[in-house]
């Protein structure tokens, strides 16, 4: 028999949803059968599965350890966590993601920022292996593997739900920094339609809407230019796959280092001179909206992730960033 006391991160969800996480290898038919036969109870009583769990509720599994083990596969890939933390509180982690790091796993064997967050919380004793059977911290936004900068992770269910809704509603403001080919002197807002080729994992920017295309809007402001290259601040109004990279490429100003949408000759020059192999695109600043509820203390919060070393070096050499 296994007794589970519901904690903050399990409360507020349906019992059957909780059981599906805890016994993640079991078919739903098995769970409902165990509920009908009172082999799984809620607060000592028979339950249907649709009940909303409350903090402190008692869930009992009258199942053998062998059965629980058979239907529970919560393999956790703990790593030596290396996080560049911009901000932290009991509900959130705001991180400065390095280049060549996945936001989330693409394949089972991948190690992503999610694994680093989980490992960090286990190391800090904010999370136990037992906790991971029913709740896993995760990220609330995504960046391309080779895009650096601000990534927000939810340490609790409340943090995940609150920030997930904010990103979905696009009520916060997202700003990026990048270095592009060419001279830009005026602020501009670009609009268009984006369509993705899933086979090549590349996107195209269209002037007019077509089937399966998505509306996009990108605002850019030049910070400095040397005539050949320009340092831009990008306000990402809509957030689509490869949006900034493809939108800038479509107007003749590709980001340096971008292997999909960049200028091959300039990219090779930067690789030879600096060892640059990734696009110089950095999620630089997040500006939070007004937030209601328990996380209202985050209203109007502004988070800034410092530029990576190589971005700074190239920017200074090009005269786009001031020496300190």
């Amino acid at each position: 028999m296994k007794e589970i006391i519901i904690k903050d991160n399990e409360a507020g969800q349906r019992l059957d949803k909780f059981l599906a996480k805890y016994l993640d290898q079991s078919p739903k038919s098995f769970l409902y059968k165990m509920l009908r036969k009172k082999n799984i109870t809620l607060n000592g009583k028979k339950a249907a599965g649709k009940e909303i769990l409350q903090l402190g509720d008692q869930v009992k599994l009258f199942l053998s350890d062998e059965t629980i083990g058979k239907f529970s596969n919560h393999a956790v890939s703990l790593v030596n966590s290396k996080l560049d933390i911009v901000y932290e509180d009991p509900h959130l982690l705001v991180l400065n993601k390095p280049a060549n790091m996945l936001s989330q796993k693409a394949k089972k064997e991948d190690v992503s920022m999610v694994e680093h967050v989980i490992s960090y919380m286990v190391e800090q004793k904010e999370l136990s292996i037992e906790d991971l059977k029913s709740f896993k911290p995760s990220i609330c936004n995504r960046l391309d593997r080779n895009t650096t900068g601000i990534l927000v992770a939810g340490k609790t269910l409340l943090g995940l739900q609150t920030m997930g809704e904010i990103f979905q509603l696009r009520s916060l403001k997202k700003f990026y920094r990048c270095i592009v080919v060419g001279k830009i002197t005026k602020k501009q807002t670009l609009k268009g339609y984006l369509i993705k080729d899933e086979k090549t994992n590349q996107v195209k920017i269209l002037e007019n809407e077509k089937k399966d295309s998505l509306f996009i809007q990108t605002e850019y402001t030049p910070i400095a230019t040397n005539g050949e290259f320009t340092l831009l601040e990008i306000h990402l109004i809509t957030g689509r796959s490869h949006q900034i990279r493809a939108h800038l490429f479509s107007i003749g100003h590709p980001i340096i280092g971008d292997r999909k949408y960049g200028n091959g000759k300039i990219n090779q020059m930067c690789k030879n001179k600096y060892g640059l192999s990734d696009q110089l695109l950095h999620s630089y600043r997040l500006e939070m909206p007004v937030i209601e509820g328990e996380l209202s203390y985050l209203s109007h919060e502004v988070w800034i992730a410092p530029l990576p070393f190589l971005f700074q070096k190239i920017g200074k050499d090009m005269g786009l960033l001031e020496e300190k």
Side-chain angles (χ1 to χ4, degrees), residues 87 163 166 287-303:
Y87 171 85
M163 290 304 301
I166 289 170
E287 297 181 359
M288 295 290 286
V290 173
I291 302 173
E292 304 291 339
E294 196 171 335
L295 300 191
S296 61
Y297 60 87
L298 293 173
S299 294
H300 301 303
E301 189 80 21
V302 176
W303 295 310

Side-chain angles (χ1 to χ4, degrees), residues 25 29 59 171 192 209-210 215 235-236 255 270 288-289 296 308:
Q25 301 300 302
S29 58
V59 177
S171 55
E209 185 176 12
K210 288 187 178 180
F215 175 74
H235 177 200
L236 187 61
I255 298 172
C270 289
M288 295 290 286
S296 61

Side-chain angles (χ1 to χ4, degrees), residues 6 12 30 34 38 41 43 45 77 127 132 142 175 194 217 235 253 258 268 292:
I6 298 302
F30 172 79
M34 293 301 98
K38 290 186 67 176
T41 63
N43 296 324
K45 298 178 181 178
S77 302
L127 198 65
L132 290 168
R142 299 178 71 173
F175 296 89
L194 178 149
Q217 191 170 359
H235 177 200
H253 295 289
D258 192 334
Q268 190 61 49
E292 304 291 339

Side-chain angles (χ1 to χ4, degrees), residues 97 101-104 139 141-151 176 283:
K97 185 184 89 66
M101 173 66 75
L102 288 167
S103 298
Q104 289 181 309
I139 59 165
N141 62 314
R142 299 178 71 173
L143 298 175
D144 292 339
R145 180 195 284 267
N146 295 319
T147 297
T148 58
I150 292 181
L151 202 64
Y176 289 68
S283 176

Side-chain angles (χ1 to χ4, degrees), residues 23-232:
L23 300 173
D24 61 326
Q25 301 300 302
S26 68
K28 288 184 179 180
S29 58
F30 172 79
L31 297 177
Y32 290 118
K33 181 179 179 180
M34 293 301 98
L35 286 166
R36 288 196 305 271
K37 296 180 69 174
K38 290 186 67 176
N39 286 339
I40 299 177
T41 63
L42 176 61
N43 296 324
K45 298 178 181 178
K46 185 177 181 179
K50 62 183 179 181
E51 296 83 359
I52 303 298
L53 294 174
Q54 304 296 323
L55 183 65
D57 277 352
Q58 179 190 68
V59 177
K60 284 187 177 180
L61 310 179
F62 293 96
L63 305 171
S64 67
D65 291 342
E66 183 182 359
T67 300
I68 292 174
K70 174 185 174 183
F71 288 133
S72 180
N73 179 25
H74 298 281
V76 180
S77 302
L78 294 180
V79 297
N80 182 17
S81 66
K82 296 178 181 179
L83 298 180
D84 184 357
I85 299 174
V86 174
Y87 171 85
E88 182 176 12
D89 69 26
H91 298 285
L92 298 179
L93 271 170
V94 180
L95 308 168
N96 191 355
K97 185 184 89 66
N100 199 30
M101 173 66 75
L102 288 167
S103 298
Q104 289 181 309
K105 283 186 177 188
K107 302 186 295 289
K108 185 178 179 181
E109 61 271 20
D110 288 337
V111 174
S112 71
M113 288 299 290
V114 174
E115 283 66 54
H116 281 272
V117 168
I118 290 173
S119 300
Y120 169 78
M121 291 183 64
V122 171
E123 290 167 10
Q124 297 297 310
K125 296 182 168 47
E126 294 182 80
L127 198 65
S128 68
I129 301 302
E130 180 68 18
D131 293 333
L132 290 168
K133 292 181 179 180
S134 56
F135 172 77
K136 283 187 173 70
S138 190
I139 59 165
C140 308
N141 62 314
R142 299 178 71 173
L143 298 175
D144 292 339
R145 180 195 284 267
N146 295 319
T147 297
T148 58
I150 292 181
L151 202 64
V152 180
K155 295 168 64 177
T156 63
L157 183 62
L158 177 63
L160 276 174
Q161 290 175 335
T162 302
M163 290 304 301
E165 182 179 1
I166 289 170
F167 276 105
Q168 186 174 16
L169 294 174
R170 299 178 191 151
S171 55
L172 79 176
K173 291 184 177 180
K174 297 179 280 187
F175 296 89
Y176 289 68
R177 294 276 170 99
C178 62
I179 298 176
V180 300
V181 178
K183 181 179 180 180
I184 299 176
T185 58
K186 293 181 180 180
K187 179 177 180 178
Q188 189 174 345
T189 299
L190 305 174
K191 296 180 181 180
Y193 294 89
L194 178 149
I195 191 162
K196 185 173 184 179
D197 185 332
E198 296 293 345
K199 291 182 180 179
T200 63
N201 192 32
Q202 285 189 278
V203 305
K204 290 183 179 180
I205 306 301
L206 311 172
E207 288 187 11
N208 300 308
E209 185 176 12
K210 288 187 178 180
K211 183 183 178 183
D212 298 326
S213 66
L214 300 168
F215 175 74
I216 57 171
Q217 191 170 359
T218 311
E219 180 182 271
Y220 64 76
T221 303
I223 298 171
T225 185
N226 62 10
E228 293 183 73
F229 302 97
T230 303
L231 173 65
L232 293 179

